[in-house]
Amino acid sequence: LGMTKLKGIPKSWDGESGENIRWKVEGGLPGESSPVIWGERVFVIGATEDRREVSCFDLKDGKLLWREPVVTPAGSRSEPPEVMEMTGYAASTPVTDGRRVFAIFANGDLAGFSAEGKPLWSKHLGVPESAYGHASSLAMWRNRVIVLLDQGGDGEAGKSRIMAFDAATGDEVWANKRRVPNSWASPVVIAVNGRSQVITCAEPWVIAYDCETGEEVWRVDCMEGDVAPSPVFMNGLVYVGTEATCLAAIRPDGTGDVTETHVAWKWDEDDRPDM
């Protein structure tokens, strides 16, 4: 579901006939991630077992402005990870601040480029142990790239972690281990009472971390199963959901375990969301 206030936008289109299609171009390597747009630039990523790339197109006419390979950092594992077809090797949506664009791939390679296509830095974070392949998207806060690397199964707590890297250099700013199994929800950054938090979802916790330090701020026990839906922040509440558990709204101004005190409402009837 998408919402817009724009008027006169097409309600139907057809790629084969060209109906309401302004432009159509070859996208490069395959990928299940979403494109990101900043100004007049569209950034797209793609990957196969042994290749990874970032592309930039002109929003007006689809002209390819640049396409750069991701150079595998020294020490990267040569054999590709096992992924499912629906996830592939490029499922995580990139992130941009307008000056730079950052991408992460199923094999754990993380890379940054300038908006003009100049490679800035790249590093290998290790191949994530994920049942379906890594799919959490990146987030940004100020000059930091935030990476959620949940992995492993039940009983393997401690493999998952959340990290922040300097956007200019790629240096690690902070990292925090997470006692959760693999998940596919993307982190979101919110502001609460002048303090920025990054919200994460994985079984069984919704956890908020301080964007400046990486320290945990609060947590709520309400997740279960394969957690894929990303959290949403609106009207002063964090909304979370997953097919196996519930849809819930959380007040994000607490500290510690706030399961009993900061869940504004919870819906656990049938037909719960899985996306």
Side-chain angles (χ1 to χ4, degrees):
L1 174 65
M3 301 176 65
T4 180
K5 295 181 180 179
L6 296 176
K7 305 295 182 181
I9 61 175
K11 296 182 179 178
S12 63
W13 52 87
D14 186 275
E16 197 169 312
S17 69
E19 177 194 2
N20 285 324
I21 302 296
R22 175 172 293 185
W23 52 262
K24 181 170 64 173
V25 298
E26 176 61 42
L29 295 180
E32 300 297 331
S33 67
S34 298
V36 294
I37 298 173
W38 189 291
E40 296 297 317
R41 295 175 185 265
V42 183
F43 300 100
V44 178
I45 72 169
T48 61
E49 288 187 359
D50 55 2
R51 296 170 58 201
R52 290 159 291 284
E53 68 182 18
V54 178
S55 303
C56 179
F57 298 90
D58 190 296
L59 180 64
K60 301 186 298 298
D61 55 17
K63 177 183 177 181
L64 177 64
L65 301 178
W66 54 265
R67 175 171 291 150
E68 290 291 332
V70 173
V71 178
T72 304
S76 291
R77 180 173 160 182
S78 58
E79 79 177 74
E82 294 184 7
V83 298
M84 298 186 70
E85 183 178 356
M86 66 179 181
T87 311
Y89 297 96
S92 304
T93 297
V95 68
T96 180
D97 60 3
R99 296 179 296 156
R100 298 158 295 204
V101 59
F102 305 92
I104 191 169
F105 300 87
N107 75 328
D109 278 1
L110 174 67
F113 295 84
S114 72
E116 291 72 36
K118 177 184 177 182
L120 300 177
W121 52 265
S122 62
K123 57 178 55 195
H124 183 64
L125 303 180
V127 178
E129 296 180 24
S130 180
Y132 305 110
H134 183 69
S136 294
S137 300
L138 301 174
M140 284 200 76
W141 177 76
R142 295 183 180 175
N143 193 43
R144 295 177 185 177
V145 182
I146 298 175
V147 179
L148 182 65
L149 210 63
D150 285 348
Q151 57 184 312
D154 294 336
E156 295 182 290
K159 289 186 176 182
S160 299
R161 59 196 192 276
I162 185 170
M163 300 159 284
F165 298 92
D166 186 287
T169 66
D171 294 337
E172 184 180 288
V173 180
W174 54 256
N176 202 328
K177 288 188 176 181
R178 290 164 49 78
R179 298 188 64 80
V180 298
N182 49 191
S183 74
W184 298 268
S186 299
V188 297
V189 174
I190 70 172
V192 181
N193 298 328
R195 185 182 188 184
S196 295
Q197 303 176 4
V198 55
I199 311 299
T200 65
C201 295
E203 185 181 15
W205 301 104
V206 179
I207 304 178
Y209 298 90
D210 186 288
C211 289
E212 179 73 38
T213 65
E215 295 177 353
E216 183 178 315
V217 181
W218 56 263
R219 62 170 56 202
V220 168
D221 185 345
C222 66
M223 297 278 98
E224 185 179 333
D226 292 340
V227 180
S230 299
V232 173
F233 181 59
M234 190 175 182
N235 302 323
L237 294 171
V238 172
Y239 299 90
V240 298
T242 187
E243 183 181 26
T245 313
C246 70
L247 180 68
I250 303 167
R251 293 186 296 272
D253 58 351
T255 55
D257 187 340
V258 296
T259 305
E260 301 300 325
T261 58
H262 281 66
V263 177
W265 56 259
K266 187 175 180 179
W267 180 58
D268 52 9
E269 302 296 330
D270 292 336
D271 301 322
R272 291 161 292 202
D274 66 350
M275 61 191 306

